[in-house]
Amino acid sequence: MSSCLNKILCRYFAKKTPTIDNNYQNNVQIYCNGEPKNCAIYMIFDKLGFLKVPVDLRPEQTAKAKSLIGN
Ligand code: SF4
């Protein structure tokens, strides 16, 4: 368990995403305050940088993140 270092820049954490996400509270527990390295947004932050994070990407969309990264 750890707190994500990207919280200050993360649109999802700040609820500045274009769509309503009913899993927000769960995702914050699971990813932001749990295991950030399993988060799709974190993966993009880490490998491609903040500017490459799609505005509508959610933490559980790891397959999409891996596809964008090229894994
Ligand atoms: S775990 Fe993911 S959603 Fe949460 S603050 Fe970090 S990058 Fe954003």
Side-chain angles (χ1 to χ4, degrees), residues 7 9-17 19-28 31-32 39 41 45 53-60:
K7 281 180 178 176
L9 287 175
C10 181
R11 269 191 216 98
Y12 183 88
F13 188 74
K15 293 186 174 177
K16 291 183 178 170
T17 51
T19 53
I20 295 169
D21 183 348
N22 295 327
N23 289 327
Y24 179 82
Q25 292 297 342
N26 277 343
N27 282 343
V28 166
Y31 300 101
C32 314
C39 169
I41 298 168
F45 263 109
V53 178
V55 294
D56 59 349
L57 188 66
R58 297 192 309 276
E60 68 272 25

Side-chain angles (χ1 to χ4, degrees), residues 40 42-45 47-48 62 64-71:
Y42 182 100
M43 291 174 186
I44 302 286
F45 263 109
K47 299 291 185 191
L48 303 178
T62 53
K64 183 174 178 182
K66 287 175 183 173
S67 164
L68 289 168
I69 292 165
N71 285 349

